[in-house]
Amino acid sequence: MNNNRQAVIVAAVRTPFAKRQTAFKHFTPLDLGKLVCAELLERADIDPKGVDQVVFGQVIPSLQAPNVAREIVLGIGLPPGIPAYTVSKACITSYQTTVNVLEAIQEGAIECGIAGGTESASDIPITVSKPLQEALHEAASAKTMAQRLAAFRKLSLSDLLPRPPAIAEPSTGETMGEAGERMAKENGISREAQDELARRSHQRAAQAWREGKFSDEVMAVHIPPDFTETLVEDNLLRPESDLATYTKLKPVFDRKYGTVTAGNSSPLTDGASALLLMNEAKAKALGMPILGKVRSYAFAALDPFDQLLLGPAYATPIALERAGMTLADMDLIDMHEAFAATVLSTLQAFESATFAREKLNRDKPIGEVNWDKLNVNGGSIAMGHPFAATGAREIAQTLGELKRRGGGVALCTACAAGGMGAAMVLEVTS
């Protein structure tokens, strides 16, 4: 790589994350994306003409704005000549948008770009059945009222029911929650361990909010329709919860023998996050603060019929190797908490010599994670998980903590639907 093309992250912001059908229920994903990108540019205080590209993510599809990135450009007053495109890669979407902007800078194609993601679990598209689609098309082309009515005569009552988006894997027919439950069973992950990790996540996140750690990373959002209320913090936190509360919750995916509950899983969430990346030389010339840089990254995939959400265990050794480092070298580790069971399964795989040999074709395990370094300010179980926004949230949150500690290196990882995973080594200099 040309040393004059080093990419750095110079600004980051996210909305508070809100539980589905609560504070952000009147916002579309585009609304949230515009809010966070406008705030990003205002905080960075740069000339909008200096932005060369916008790469944004969205997982739950939008029928009204399928290319949400381009609509953000046009919706917040950025120059219309800025090209933009949208990425969908499940829960690692904004890892991918970050990498896409990063690579464009390193190739010299651009000097500055916005990456991130937006999601609304409150605003999901509702479609109709295939028979009803066909009847509607037939009626639209009919020439008489009788022909229009005839188009609907073969429909059953069930054909008239709305169809929400599928949540199961098309390949396996298994939902992510069912996959997490299966992983808990296969790896011997106890209910107690899952509940303890969930409680830890809430306690760590609540403490971080109390200490003001997120004040520079999270914007305030005024709530429609009357805008008299403002959300300034994630509204999913349970700071005072104890283990007794968790034990009362019933399993969701295997009601008789299961251990995965709503309490030890990440909830459906609305929110958006954004990063501003820039050529380092340009950033220094403009006097921009450098939050940190991406030292290495890796994406990996596995057979979804295996352990669907174990992707970080496949991506992490590649990212570490590309960084020329080991797990022990990391000052912090941030791991997306899709389910407590998947985090604990991944940590188990990290330590397993058998997993390293049989799945990774490596002589040594990835390594043992020091819990004092893991998700020190909480994770997705506590803050929520707007699918496309989580990766950028992890990156910004980790860079902020490294900065507070005087610099260092950190590993960020996330699992994703489809049997995918991402890993990224971040670096902050003192």
PDB file of all heavy atoms in Angstrom, residues 50-87:
ATOM      1  N   GLY A  50     -16.019  17.937   0.257  1.00  0.00           N
ATOM      2  CA  GLY A  50     -14.847  17.098   0.449  1.00  0.00           C
ATOM      3  C   GLY A  50     -15.169  15.622   0.593  1.00  0.00           C
ATOM      4  O   GLY A  50     -14.264  14.782   0.637  1.00  0.00           O
ATOM      5  N   VAL A  51     -16.438  15.267   0.697  1.00  0.00           N
ATOM      6  CA  VAL A  51     -16.852  13.865   0.785  1.00  0.00           C
ATOM      7  C   VAL A  51     -16.929  13.297  -0.634  1.00  0.00           C
ATOM      8  O   VAL A  51     -17.636  13.828  -1.489  1.00  0.00           O
ATOM      9  CB  VAL A  51     -18.216  13.727   1.487  1.00  0.00           C
ATOM     10  CG1 VAL A  51     -18.651  12.267   1.525  1.00  0.00           C
ATOM     11  CG2 VAL A  51     -18.137  14.292   2.907  1.00  0.00           C
ATOM     12  N   ASP A  52     -16.220  12.221  -0.871  1.00  0.00           N
ATOM     13  CA  ASP A  52     -16.143  11.649  -2.216  1.00  0.00           C
ATOM     14  C   ASP A  52     -17.079  10.470  -2.433  1.00  0.00           C
ATOM     15  O   ASP A  52     -17.375  10.123  -3.583  1.00  0.00           O
ATOM     16  CB  ASP A  52     -14.709  11.170  -2.496  1.00  0.00           C
ATOM     17  CG  ASP A  52     -13.699  12.291  -2.395  1.00  0.00           C
ATOM     18  OD1 ASP A  52     -13.951  13.357  -2.967  1.00  0.00           O
ATOM     19  OD2 ASP A  52     -12.663  12.100  -1.716  1.00  0.00           O
ATOM     20  N   GLN A  53     -17.527   9.833  -1.341  1.00  0.00           N
ATOM     21  CA  GLN A  53     -18.317   8.621  -1.499  1.00  0.00           C
ATOM     22  C   GLN A  53     -19.088   8.342  -0.206  1.00  0.00           C
ATOM     23  O   GLN A  53     -18.606   8.646   0.892  1.00  0.00           O
ATOM     24  CB  GLN A  53     -17.399   7.438  -1.814  1.00  0.00           C
ATOM     25  CG  GLN A  53     -18.105   6.127  -2.126  1.00  0.00           C
ATOM     26  CD  GLN A  53     -17.104   5.005  -2.378  1.00  0.00           C
ATOM     27  OE1 GLN A  53     -16.430   4.546  -1.455  1.00  0.00           O
ATOM     28  NE2 GLN A  53     -16.996   4.566  -3.628  1.00  0.00           N
ATOM     29  N   VAL A  54     -20.277   7.747  -0.340  1.00  0.00           N
ATOM     30  CA  VAL A  54     -21.044   7.274   0.812  1.00  0.00           C
ATOM     31  C   VAL A  54     -21.394   5.808   0.570  1.00  0.00           C
ATOM     32  O   VAL A  54     -21.977   5.465  -0.460  1.00  0.00           O
ATOM     33  CB  VAL A  54     -22.331   8.095   1.027  1.00  0.00           C
ATOM     34  CG1 VAL A  54     -23.166   7.489   2.150  1.00  0.00           C
ATOM     35  CG2 VAL A  54     -21.997   9.554   1.345  1.00  0.00           C
ATOM     36  N   VAL A  55     -20.996   4.959   1.520  1.00  0.00           N
ATOM     37  CA  VAL A  55     -21.338   3.535   1.463  1.00  0.00           C
ATOM     38  C   VAL A  55     -22.074   3.219   2.759  1.00  0.00           C
ATOM     39  O   VAL A  55     -21.483   3.288   3.840  1.00  0.00           O
ATOM     40  CB  VAL A  55     -20.094   2.645   1.318  1.00  0.00           C
ATOM     41  CG1 VAL A  55     -20.523   1.183   1.144  1.00  0.00           C
ATOM     42  CG2 VAL A  55     -19.235   3.089   0.139  1.00  0.00           C
ATOM     43  N   PHE A  56     -23.360   2.932   2.634  1.00  0.00           N
ATOM     44  CA  PHE A  56     -24.166   2.718   3.831  1.00  0.00           C
ATOM     45  C   PHE A  56     -24.866   1.372   3.748  1.00  0.00           C
ATOM     46  O   PHE A  56     -25.053   0.818   2.661  1.00  0.00           O
ATOM     47  CB  PHE A  56     -25.202   3.847   3.976  1.00  0.00           C
ATOM     48  CG  PHE A  56     -25.207   4.459   5.352  1.00  0.00           C
ATOM     49  CD1 PHE A  56     -24.112   5.175   5.803  1.00  0.00           C
ATOM     50  CD2 PHE A  56     -26.301   4.327   6.197  1.00  0.00           C
ATOM     51  CE1 PHE A  56     -24.100   5.735   7.070  1.00  0.00           C
ATOM     52  CE2 PHE A  56     -26.301   4.887   7.460  1.00  0.00           C
ATOM     53  CZ  PHE A  56     -25.196   5.593   7.902  1.00  0.00           C
ATOM     54  N   GLY A  57     -25.234   0.844   4.898  1.00  0.00           N
ATOM     55  CA  GLY A  57     -25.822  -0.484   4.939  1.00  0.00           C
ATOM     56  C   GLY A  57     -27.236  -0.501   5.457  1.00  0.00           C
ATOM     57  O   GLY A  57     -27.642   0.368   6.243  1.00  0.00           O
ATOM     58  N   GLN A  58     -28.001  -1.488   5.015  1.00  0.00           N
ATOM     59  CA  GLN A  58     -29.346  -1.743   5.506  1.00  0.00           C
ATOM     60  C   GLN A  58     -29.647  -3.212   5.251  1.00  0.00           C
ATOM     61  O   GLN A  58     -29.436  -3.706   4.152  1.00  0.00           O
ATOM     62  CB  GLN A  58     -30.362  -0.860   4.786  1.00  0.00           C
ATOM     63  CG  GLN A  58     -31.781  -1.005   5.299  1.00  0.00           C
ATOM     64  CD  GLN A  58     -32.755  -0.103   4.556  1.00  0.00           C
ATOM     65  OE1 GLN A  58     -32.358   0.732   3.757  1.00  0.00           O
ATOM     66  NE2 GLN A  58     -34.029  -0.285   4.809  1.00  0.00           N
ATOM     67  N   VAL A  59     -30.128  -3.915   6.275  1.00  0.00           N
ATOM     68  CA  VAL A  59     -30.388  -5.351   6.154  1.00  0.00           C
ATOM     69  C   VAL A  59     -31.858  -5.636   5.881  1.00  0.00           C
ATOM     70  O   VAL A  59     -32.196  -6.377   4.967  1.00  0.00           O
ATOM     71  CB  VAL A  59     -29.912  -6.101   7.413  1.00  0.00           C
ATOM     72  CG1 VAL A  59     -30.251  -7.588   7.330  1.00  0.00           C
ATOM     73  CG2 VAL A  59     -28.407  -5.907   7.603  1.00  0.00           C
ATOM     74  N   ILE A  60     -32.748  -5.060   6.685  1.00  0.00           N
ATOM     75  CA  ILE A  60     -34.178  -5.222   6.429  1.00  0.00           C
ATOM     76  C   ILE A  60     -34.507  -4.353   5.218  1.00  0.00           C
ATOM     77  O   ILE A  60     -34.355  -3.138   5.263  1.00  0.00           O
ATOM     78  CB  ILE A  60     -35.013  -4.786   7.641  1.00  0.00           C
ATOM     79  CG1 ILE A  60     -34.622  -5.585   8.878  1.00  0.00           C
ATOM     80  CG2 ILE A  60     -36.499  -4.968   7.355  1.00  0.00           C
ATOM     81  CD1 ILE A  60     -35.249  -5.090  10.163  1.00  0.00           C
ATOM     82  N   PRO A  61     -34.946  -4.929   4.111  1.00  0.00           N
ATOM     83  CA  PRO A  61     -35.087  -4.152   2.876  1.00  0.00           C
ATOM     84  C   PRO A  61     -36.172  -3.099   2.955  1.00  0.00           C
ATOM     85  O   PRO A  61     -37.175  -3.260   3.656  1.00  0.00           O
ATOM     86  CB  PRO A  61     -35.433  -5.221   1.834  1.00  0.00           C
ATOM     87  CG  PRO A  61     -36.069  -6.321   2.623  1.00  0.00           C
ATOM     88  CD  PRO A  61     -35.361  -6.334   3.935  1.00  0.00           C
ATOM     89  N   SER A  62     -35.946  -2.015   2.242  1.00  0.00           N
ATOM     90  CA  SER A  62     -36.922  -0.941   2.165  1.00  0.00           C
ATOM     91  C   SER A  62     -37.456  -0.865   0.737  1.00  0.00           C
ATOM     92  O   SER A  62     -36.688  -0.697  -0.211  1.00  0.00           O
ATOM     93  CB  SER A  62     -36.282   0.397   2.546  1.00  0.00           C
ATOM     94  OG  SER A  62     -37.173   1.461   2.314  1.00  0.00           O
ATOM     95  N   LEU A  63     -38.762  -0.986   0.584  1.00  0.00           N
ATOM     96  CA  LEU A  63     -39.358  -0.931  -0.743  1.00  0.00           C
ATOM     97  C   LEU A  63     -39.382   0.493  -1.278  1.00  0.00           C
ATOM     98  O   LEU A  63     -39.365   0.708  -2.493  1.00  0.00           O
ATOM     99  CB  LEU A  63     -40.780  -1.497  -0.691  1.00  0.00           C
ATOM    100  CG  LEU A  63     -40.907  -2.940  -0.194  1.00  0.00           C
ATOM    101  CD1 LEU A  63     -42.368  -3.378  -0.191  1.00  0.00           C
ATOM    102  CD2 LEU A  63     -40.070  -3.885  -1.046  1.00  0.00           C
ATOM    103  N   GLN A  64     -39.418   1.482  -0.387  1.00  0.00           N
ATOM    104  CA  GLN A  64     -39.492   2.876  -0.815  1.00  0.00           C
ATOM    105  C   GLN A  64     -38.118   3.452  -1.158  1.00  0.00           C
ATOM    106  O   GLN A  64     -38.008   4.328  -2.015  1.00  0.00           O
ATOM    107  CB  GLN A  64     -40.140   3.738   0.271  1.00  0.00           C
ATOM    108  CG  GLN A  64     -41.639   3.510   0.445  1.00  0.00           C
ATOM    109  CD  GLN A  64     -41.963   2.196   1.118  1.00  0.00           C
ATOM    110  OE1 GLN A  64     -41.223   1.763   2.010  1.00  0.00           O
ATOM    111  NE2 GLN A  64     -43.040   1.556   0.696  1.00  0.00           N
ATOM    112  N   ALA A  65     -37.079   2.995  -0.475  1.00  0.00           N
ATOM    113  CA  ALA A  65     -35.736   3.538  -0.710  1.00  0.00           C
ATOM    114  C   ALA A  65     -34.725   2.400  -0.716  1.00  0.00           C
ATOM    115  O   ALA A  65     -33.964   2.220   0.236  1.00  0.00           O
ATOM    116  CB  ALA A  65     -35.392   4.564   0.367  1.00  0.00           C
ATOM    117  N   PRO A  66     -34.700   1.602  -1.777  1.00  0.00           N
ATOM    118  CA  PRO A  66     -33.805   0.440  -1.802  1.00  0.00           C
ATOM    119  C   PRO A  66     -32.326   0.797  -1.764  1.00  0.00           C
ATOM    120  O   PRO A  66     -31.523   0.027  -1.264  1.00  0.00           O
ATOM    121  CB  PRO A  66     -34.181  -0.266  -3.110  1.00  0.00           C
ATOM    122  CG  PRO A  66     -34.872   0.770  -3.932  1.00  0.00           C
ATOM    123  CD  PRO A  66     -35.550   1.675  -2.974  1.00  0.00           C
ATOM    124  N   ASN A  67     -31.955   1.979  -2.287  1.00  0.00           N
ATOM    125  CA  ASN A  67     -30.568   2.434  -2.183  1.00  0.00           C
ATOM    126  C   ASN A  67     -30.521   3.563  -1.161  1.00  0.00           C
ATOM    127  O   ASN A  67     -30.469   4.746  -1.494  1.00  0.00           O
ATOM    128  CB  ASN A  67     -30.038   2.909  -3.534  1.00  0.00           C
ATOM    129  CG  ASN A  67     -28.548   3.245  -3.486  1.00  0.00           C
ATOM    130  OD1 ASN A  67     -27.897   3.133  -2.442  1.00  0.00           O
ATOM    131  ND2 ASN A  67     -27.992   3.661  -4.614  1.00  0.00           N
ATOM    132  N   VAL A  68     -30.550   3.176   0.111  1.00  0.00           N
ATOM    133  CA  VAL A  68     -30.653   4.162   1.178  1.00  0.00           C
ATOM    134  C   VAL A  68     -29.446   5.097   1.194  1.00  0.00           C
ATOM    135  O   VAL A  68     -29.571   6.284   1.545  1.00  0.00           O
ATOM    136  CB  VAL A  68     -30.837   3.458   2.549  1.00  0.00           C
ATOM    137  CG1 VAL A  68     -29.565   2.734   2.990  1.00  0.00           C
ATOM    138  CG2 VAL A  68     -31.288   4.434   3.616  1.00  0.00           C
ATOM    139  N   ALA A  69     -28.274   4.621   0.786  1.00  0.00           N
ATOM    140  CA  ALA A  69     -27.073   5.459   0.777  1.00  0.00           C
ATOM    141  C   ALA A  69     -27.241   6.660  -0.144  1.00  0.00           C
ATOM    142  O   ALA A  69     -26.904   7.799   0.206  1.00  0.00           O
ATOM    143  CB  ALA A  69     -25.867   4.625   0.361  1.00  0.00           C
ATOM    144  N   ARG A  70     -27.762   6.404  -1.333  1.00  0.00           N
ATOM    145  CA  ARG A  70     -27.948   7.499  -2.288  1.00  0.00           C
ATOM    146  C   ARG A  70     -29.000   8.481  -1.788  1.00  0.00           C
ATOM    147  O   ARG A  70     -28.862   9.704  -1.934  1.00  0.00           O
ATOM    148  CB  ARG A  70     -28.357   6.928  -3.648  1.00  0.00           C
ATOM    149  CG  ARG A  70     -28.611   7.983  -4.728  1.00  0.00           C
ATOM    150  CD  ARG A  70     -27.380   8.840  -4.980  1.00  0.00           C
ATOM    151  NE  ARG A  70     -27.639   9.814  -6.049  1.00  0.00           N
ATOM    152  CZ  ARG A  70     -26.916  10.898  -6.271  1.00  0.00           C
ATOM    153  NH1 ARG A  70     -25.868  11.163  -5.492  1.00  0.00           N
ATOM    154  NH2 ARG A  70     -27.198  11.714  -7.262  1.00  0.00           N
ATOM    155  N   GLU A  71     -30.055   7.971  -1.171  1.00  0.00           N
ATOM    156  CA  GLU A  71     -31.101   8.850  -0.653  1.00  0.00           C
ATOM    157  C   GLU A  71     -30.593   9.692   0.509  1.00  0.00           C
ATOM    158  O   GLU A  71     -31.071  10.811   0.721  1.00  0.00           O
ATOM    159  CB  GLU A  71     -32.325   8.037  -0.236  1.00  0.00           C
ATOM    160  CG  GLU A  71     -32.986   7.261  -1.361  1.00  0.00           C
ATOM    161  CD  GLU A  71     -33.359   8.128  -2.542  1.00  0.00           C
ATOM    162  OE1 GLU A  71     -33.766   9.292  -2.335  1.00  0.00           O
ATOM    163  OE2 GLU A  71     -33.229   7.651  -3.690  1.00  0.00           O
ATOM    164  N   ILE A  72     -29.638   9.174   1.268  1.00  0.00           N
ATOM    165  CA  ILE A  72     -29.020   9.969   2.337  1.00  0.00           C
ATOM    166  C   ILE A  72     -28.274  11.150   1.730  1.00  0.00           C
ATOM    167  O   ILE A  72     -28.389  12.287   2.199  1.00  0.00           O
ATOM    168  CB  ILE A  72     -28.084   9.095   3.190  1.00  0.00           C
ATOM    169  CG1 ILE A  72     -28.901   8.146   4.073  1.00  0.00           C
ATOM    170  CG2 ILE A  72     -27.174   9.964   4.057  1.00  0.00           C
ATOM    171  CD1 ILE A  72     -28.062   7.103   4.791  1.00  0.00           C
ATOM    172  N   VAL A  73     -27.503  10.895   0.694  1.00  0.00           N
ATOM    173  CA  VAL A  73     -26.766  11.967   0.018  1.00  0.00           C
ATOM    174  C   VAL A  73     -27.723  13.068  -0.419  1.00  0.00           C
ATOM    175  O   VAL A  73     -27.500  14.259  -0.176  1.00  0.00           O
ATOM    176  CB  VAL A  73     -25.988  11.415  -1.194  1.00  0.00           C
ATOM    177  CG1 VAL A  73     -25.442  12.552  -2.057  1.00  0.00           C
ATOM    178  CG2 VAL A  73     -24.850  10.518  -0.741  1.00  0.00           C
ATOM    179  N   LEU A  74     -28.794  12.681  -1.088  1.00  0.00           N
ATOM    180  CA  LEU A  74     -29.741  13.659  -1.611  1.00  0.00           C
ATOM    181  C   LEU A  74     -30.588  14.287  -0.511  1.00  0.00           C
ATOM    182  O   LEU A  74     -31.069  15.419  -0.656  1.00  0.00           O
ATOM    183  CB  LEU A  74     -30.650  12.990  -2.642  1.00  0.00           C
ATOM    184  CG  LEU A  74     -29.935  12.397  -3.867  1.00  0.00           C
ATOM    185  CD1 LEU A  74     -30.928  11.657  -4.754  1.00  0.00           C
ATOM    186  CD2 LEU A  74     -29.204  13.474  -4.649  1.00  0.00           C
ATOM    187  N   GLY A  75     -30.755  13.574   0.597  1.00  0.00           N
ATOM    188  CA  GLY A  75     -31.658  14.039   1.643  1.00  0.00           C
ATOM    189  C   GLY A  75     -31.052  14.968   2.664  1.00  0.00           C
ATOM    190  O   GLY A  75     -31.786  15.632   3.407  1.00  0.00           O
ATOM    191  N   ILE A  76     -29.723  15.033   2.760  1.00  0.00           N
ATOM    192  CA  ILE A  76     -29.108  15.907   3.763  1.00  0.00           C
ATOM    193  C   ILE A  76     -28.317  17.040   3.125  1.00  0.00           C
ATOM    194  O   ILE A  76     -27.545  17.722   3.802  1.00  0.00           O
ATOM    195  CB  ILE A  76     -28.208  15.114   4.738  1.00  0.00           C
ATOM    196  CG1 ILE A  76     -26.999  14.502   4.020  1.00  0.00           C
ATOM    197  CG2 ILE A  76     -29.009  14.044   5.453  1.00  0.00           C
ATOM    198  CD1 ILE A  76     -25.993  13.848   4.973  1.00  0.00           C
ATOM    199  N   GLY A  77     -28.507  17.232   1.838  1.00  0.00           N
ATOM    200  CA  GLY A  77     -27.886  18.380   1.186  1.00  0.00           C
ATOM    201  C   GLY A  77     -26.447  18.187   0.771  1.00  0.00           C
ATOM    202  O   GLY A  77     -25.744  19.173   0.493  1.00  0.00           O
ATOM    203  N   LEU A  78     -25.975  16.942   0.728  1.00  0.00           N
ATOM    204  CA  LEU A  78     -24.646  16.700   0.181  1.00  0.00           C
ATOM    205  C   LEU A  78     -24.679  16.975  -1.320  1.00  0.00           C
ATOM    206  O   LEU A  78     -25.736  16.872  -1.958  1.00  0.00           O
ATOM    207  CB  LEU A  78     -24.211  15.255   0.439  1.00  0.00           C
ATOM    208  CG  LEU A  78     -23.730  14.924   1.845  1.00  0.00           C
ATOM    209  CD1 LEU A  78     -23.626  13.407   2.037  1.00  0.00           C
ATOM    210  CD2 LEU A  78     -22.382  15.579   2.129  1.00  0.00           C
ATOM    211  N   PRO A  79     -23.549  17.322  -1.922  1.00  0.00           N
ATOM    212  CA  PRO A  79     -23.524  17.547  -3.368  1.00  0.00           C
ATOM    213  C   PRO A  79     -24.083  16.338  -4.110  1.00  0.00           C
ATOM    214  O   PRO A  79     -23.685  15.204  -3.828  1.00  0.00           O
ATOM    215  CB  PRO A  79     -22.040  17.764  -3.669  1.00  0.00           C
ATOM    216  CG  PRO A  79     -21.477  18.302  -2.393  1.00  0.00           C
ATOM    217  CD  PRO A  79     -22.232  17.602  -1.315  1.00  0.00           C
ATOM    218  N   PRO A  80     -24.996  16.530  -5.032  1.00  0.00           N
ATOM    219  CA  PRO A  80     -25.618  15.392  -5.728  1.00  0.00           C
ATOM    220  C   PRO A  80     -24.649  14.595  -6.581  1.00  0.00           C
ATOM    221  O   PRO A  80     -24.970  13.486  -7.001  1.00  0.00           O
ATOM    222  CB  PRO A  80     -26.705  16.055  -6.584  1.00  0.00           C
ATOM    223  CG  PRO A  80     -26.271  17.473  -6.730  1.00  0.00           C
ATOM    224  CD  PRO A  80     -25.560  17.818  -5.465  1.00  0.00           C
ATOM    225  N   GLY A  81     -23.471  15.133  -6.820  1.00  0.00           N
ATOM    226  CA  GLY A  81     -22.477  14.410  -7.607  1.00  0.00           C
ATOM    227  C   GLY A  81     -21.726  13.350  -6.825  1.00  0.00           C
ATOM    228  O   GLY A  81     -20.880  12.651  -7.390  1.00  0.00           O
ATOM    229  N   ILE A  82     -22.026  13.194  -5.521  1.00  0.00           N
ATOM    230  CA  ILE A  82     -21.347  12.179  -4.706  1.00  0.00           C
ATOM    231  C   ILE A  82     -21.987  10.817  -4.965  1.00  0.00           C
ATOM    232  O   ILE A  82     -23.175  10.623  -4.699  1.00  0.00           O
ATOM    233  CB  ILE A  82     -21.439  12.514  -3.205  1.00  0.00           C
ATOM    234  CG1 ILE A  82     -20.701  13.819  -2.901  1.00  0.00           C
ATOM    235  CG2 ILE A  82     -20.863  11.371  -2.362  1.00  0.00           C
ATOM    236  CD1 ILE A  82     -20.861  14.284  -1.467  1.00  0.00           C
ATOM    237  N   PRO A  83     -21.241   9.844  -5.469  1.00  0.00           N
ATOM    238  CA  PRO A  83     -21.821   8.512  -5.682  1.00  0.00           C
ATOM    239  C   PRO A  83     -22.028   7.789  -4.355  1.00  0.00           C
ATOM    240  O   PRO A  83     -21.284   8.002  -3.392  1.00  0.00           O
ATOM    241  CB  PRO A  83     -20.773   7.797  -6.547  1.00  0.00           C
ATOM    242  CG  PRO A  83     -19.488   8.500  -6.236  1.00  0.00           C
ATOM    243  CD  PRO A  83     -19.845   9.919  -5.926  1.00  0.00           C
ATOM    244  N   ALA A  84     -23.044   6.943  -4.312  1.00  0.00           N
ATOM    245  CA  ALA A  84     -23.366   6.237  -3.070  1.00  0.00           C
ATOM    246  C   ALA A  84     -24.031   4.913  -3.392  1.00  0.00           C
ATOM    247  O   ALA A  84     -24.792   4.805  -4.352  1.00  0.00           O
ATOM    248  CB  ALA A  84     -24.283   7.088  -2.205  1.00  0.00           C
ATOM    249  N   TYR A  85     -23.748   3.916  -2.588  1.00  0.00           N
ATOM    250  CA  TYR A  85     -24.406   2.622  -2.777  1.00  0.00           C
ATOM    251  C   TYR A  85     -24.631   1.949  -1.433  1.00  0.00           C
ATOM    252  O   TYR A  85     -23.989   2.274  -0.438  1.00  0.00           O
ATOM    253  CB  TYR A  85     -23.619   1.717  -3.723  1.00  0.00           C
ATOM    254  CG  TYR A  85     -22.237   1.315  -3.256  1.00  0.00           C
ATOM    255  CD1 TYR A  85     -22.031   0.132  -2.550  1.00  0.00           C
ATOM    256  CD2 TYR A  85     -21.124   2.103  -3.556  1.00  0.00           C
ATOM    257  CE1 TYR A  85     -20.764  -0.252  -2.145  1.00  0.00           C
ATOM    258  CE2 TYR A  85     -19.855   1.731  -3.157  1.00  0.00           C
ATOM    259  CZ  TYR A  85     -19.672   0.550  -2.456  1.00  0.00           C
ATOM    260  OH  TYR A  85     -18.410   0.171  -2.053  1.00  0.00           O
ATOM    261  N   THR A  86     -25.558   0.995  -1.437  1.00  0.00           N
ATOM    262  CA  THR A  86     -26.005   0.348  -0.213  1.00  0.00           C
ATOM    263  C   THR A  86     -25.520  -1.096  -0.158  1.00  0.00           C
ATOM    264  O   THR A  86     -25.512  -1.792  -1.164  1.00  0.00           O
ATOM    265  CB  THR A  86     -27.544   0.384  -0.120  1.00  0.00           C
ATOM    266  OG1 THR A  86     -27.956   1.755  -0.118  1.00  0.00           O
ATOM    267  CG2 THR A  86     -28.056  -0.294   1.136  1.00  0.00           C
ATOM    268  N   VAL A  87     -25.129  -1.527   1.040  1.00  0.00           N
ATOM    269  CA  VAL A  87     -24.602  -2.872   1.278  1.00  0.00           C
ATOM    270  C   VAL A  87     -25.545  -3.610   2.223  1.00  0.00           C
ATOM    271  O   VAL A  87     -26.089  -3.015   3.157  1.00  0.00           O
ATOM    272  CB  VAL A  87     -23.191  -2.800   1.895  1.00  0.00           C
ATOM    273  CG1 VAL A  87     -22.724  -4.173   2.365  1.00  0.00           C
ATOM    274  CG2 VAL A  87     -22.204  -2.212   0.895  1.00  0.00           C
TER     275      VAL A  87
END
